[in-house]
Amino acid sequence: MKLAHKFLGSILIISATSSCFDPPVFPETPTIEFESLEFVEFGGFSDPDSLILKIRFKDGDGDLGIGTIVTPGGDFITNVDDPFHDTNFYLSEGGELEKEVGTVTFYTDTLQNGRAEFVPLQVISRRNNNGKLITYRNYANYTKLPTFDNTRIECFDFTVRDLFIFIGNLNQGNQNDQYDLRNYYGFSGDAQIVDERYPIKDTIVDAFRNQFLHLKDTFYFQINPNHYNIEVDFFVKEFANGNDNDFREYNWREEFCTTYDGRFPQLSDSSTPLDGILTYNMTSTGFKTIFGVKRIKLKVSIKDRKLNKSNEIFTNEILLN
C-alpha cells in the first residue's frame, strides 16, 4: 500500500508490503537500512529546498506508525495522547527527584455562547506518581533544575500553558458512564498535585459531571522523545585537529527552536510483518545558507508503537553546493 501525508512542511511517502501467504519472519523491534539521500534545490528565494531521505524498514508485528483518533465532532486527528504527547511535565516532592508525567487530550462537552461545543482539554496524566507540579513559581525548591532564562522560554525548560487536572466526577456512586474519566483514562482524581499557591483560573464541570482544575502557568517541561517516531540528527564535516574527517552535530533546536524529527502514520491495521521504503522529505529555505560548501550526513532511527527503537544508521555524505 502507499500512503502520503503532509505535515510540518514535510512529505512522507511510505511503500509497505505485507502478505497473508507465508509471511516473512522479522524481529518485532524494527530494523532499518539506508537507501538514499538527495538534495533538491528549487531555486526561488522563498521556495524551500528539500533533503529527500529514503530508508528501508522491516518490522515483525506491523506496529509501525502513529494512528489517528476520532474526536466527538467526527474529526480525525493524529494521536497525541500519552505516551505520544508532545511535552513532558514534572512532579516533585522536593530535592533532586523529578517524576515525568504526560498529557491526554479529552474532548469535553461544554456550553459556549449558549450552545454545546466539544472543547479539547490537555489533561495531566499523572501515571500514579506523587508530588507537586513544577512551575517557575516553585522551581527554586528543586536542586537540579536549569536556571530560568526568559530568552529560551517555550523552546527550552519552561513553557506557558493551559493545563487541566481531573479532580473527580460528581457521580460518586456511578462509574458506568463511558465518559466518566475514572473509567475513560483510569484517573482517580489528581487534585493533590497542586495546592492553594497555584494560579487556578477556574473549576470546570462538563456535561458528564467530570471536574477539572484549570491552570495557566509557566511550567517546567522537556520535549517528549516518544512524540516522534522518526528521529533525524544532522552532522556537519568540520576541519579540526589537522584533518577534515571530524563531524559535529548541528543542533536545530539550539539554533532555531525546531527539529527535523517527525511522525509517520500507521501503516497497517494487522499484526503481520511489514517491509518497505519510507521517503522522508525535509524542507528549508536555509539549508545552503547554513551548510554552505560543507558536507553533511544524517543519523536516523525509527520507533514502533510499543516504543521499541530501531537500529541507528548514518546516511552517506552529501554536498549541497
Side-chain angles (χ1 to χ4, degrees):
M1 58 183 167
K2 292 188 176 181
L3 304 172
H5 287 257
K6 184 173 183 179
F7 69 102
L8 297 178
S10 298
I11 302 290
L12 283 173
I13 303 174
I14 301 101
S15 300
T17 61
S18 62
S19 174
C20 57
F21 303 103
D22 298 323
V25 178
F26 302 137
E28 291 190 2
T29 297
T31 59
I32 59 174
E33 297 176 356
F34 173 64
E35 179 74 12
S36 65
L37 180 64
E38 179 186 8
F39 177 66
V40 178
E41 185 176 5
F42 285 92
F45 179 77
S46 61
D47 296 326
D49 300 324
S50 290
L51 274 172
I52 304 173
L53 168 69
K54 293 183 179 182
I55 59 173
R56 292 186 175 272
F57 63 85
K58 296 178 180 178
D59 184 71
D61 58 359
D63 66 335
L64 288 179
I66 298 174
T68 57
I69 58 177
V70 183
T71 71
D75 297 320
F76 289 83
I77 62 171
T78 303
N79 187 352
V80 290
D81 287 349
D82 191 2
F84 306 117
H85 57 285
D86 62 353
T87 304
N88 288 328
F89 300 99
Y90 293 85
L91 305 179
S92 182
E93 297 175 288
E96 296 185 359
L97 183 62
E98 297 118 32
K99 301 166 187 176
E100 188 176 276
V101 297
T103 59
V104 293
T105 302
F106 181 64
Y107 287 80
T108 186
D109 193 357
T110 63
L111 289 175
Q112 299 287 331
N113 301 319
R115 63 189 181 92
E117 291 186 358
F118 284 101
V119 177
L121 306 182
Q122 193 173 24
V123 183
I124 290 290
S125 173
R126 183 167 58 89
R127 302 174 178 171
N128 292 319
N129 290 317
N130 295 316
K132 302 296 184 187
L133 268 174
I134 301 177
T135 72
Y136 169 65
R137 299 167 189 267
N138 63 12
Y139 84 99
N141 299 332
Y142 309 111
T143 57
K144 293 183 67 176
L145 294 186
T147 301
F148 179 80
D149 184 347
N150 191 55
T151 65
R152 291 162 63 90
I153 196 168
E154 302 302 337
C155 192
F156 294 97
D157 302 327
F158 291 93
T159 179
V160 178
R161 292 284 183 94
D162 287 274
L163 293 179
F164 295 82
I165 299 170
F166 174 62
I167 59 174
N169 188 287
L170 294 177
N171 297 322
Q172 294 295 333
N174 179 13
Q175 295 191 36
N176 295 323
D177 191 329
Q178 64 172 323
Y179 294 109
D180 183 336
L181 276 187
R182 291 173 294 179
N183 295 321
Y184 200 70
Y185 288 122
F187 290 171
S188 58
D190 296 336
Q192 69 271 26
I193 67 175
V194 295
D195 57 31
E196 68 279 358
R197 295 171 295 177
Y198 287 76
I200 298 172
K201 291 184 65 175
D202 199 1
T203 300
I204 297 174
V205 179
D206 70 8
F208 313 108
R209 308 201 79 192
N210 295 304
Q211 292 180 292
F212 305 90
L213 296 179
H214 178 191
L215 279 73
K216 185 167 187 176
D217 207 347
T218 304
F219 297 94
Y220 173 62
F221 86 101
Q222 295 295 322
I223 299 297
N224 175 24
N226 295 324
H227 179 65
Y228 305 104
N229 58 3
I230 179 169
E231 298 179 12
V232 180
D233 298 320
F234 281 62
F235 288 81
V236 185
K237 181 176 278 191
E238 300 283 8
F239 185 85
N241 301 320
N243 67 76
D244 62 355
N245 292 318
D246 290 337
F247 279 85
R248 65 170 178 86
E249 183 175 354
Y250 186 85
N251 192 321
W252 287 98
R253 190 166 295 281
E254 284 281 356
E255 299 294 336
F256 294 103
C257 193
T258 191
T259 181
Y260 279 99
D261 298 342
R263 292 159 64 96
F264 59 88
Q266 184 170 332
L267 305 187
S268 174
D269 294 327
S270 74
S271 58
T272 57
L274 284 177
D275 68 298
I277 296 177
L278 184 149
T279 302
Y280 187 38
N281 184 3
M282 295 159 280
T283 61
S284 175
T285 57
F287 282 145
K288 292 186 68 173
T289 301
I290 294 168
F291 300 121
V293 296
K294 296 178 180 179
R295 292 184 174 273
I296 66 170
K297 64 180 179 180
L298 309 180
K299 182 173 73 174
V300 185
S301 63
I302 64 174
K303 290 180 183 176
D304 63 20
R305 288 193 296 280
K306 296 187 185 74
L307 307 183
N308 295 315
K309 185 175 180 178
S310 74
N311 58 306
E312 293 180 340
I313 61 170
F314 280 95
T315 69
N316 62 334
E317 303 173 21
I318 65 169
L319 189 64
L320 305 188
N321 282 327

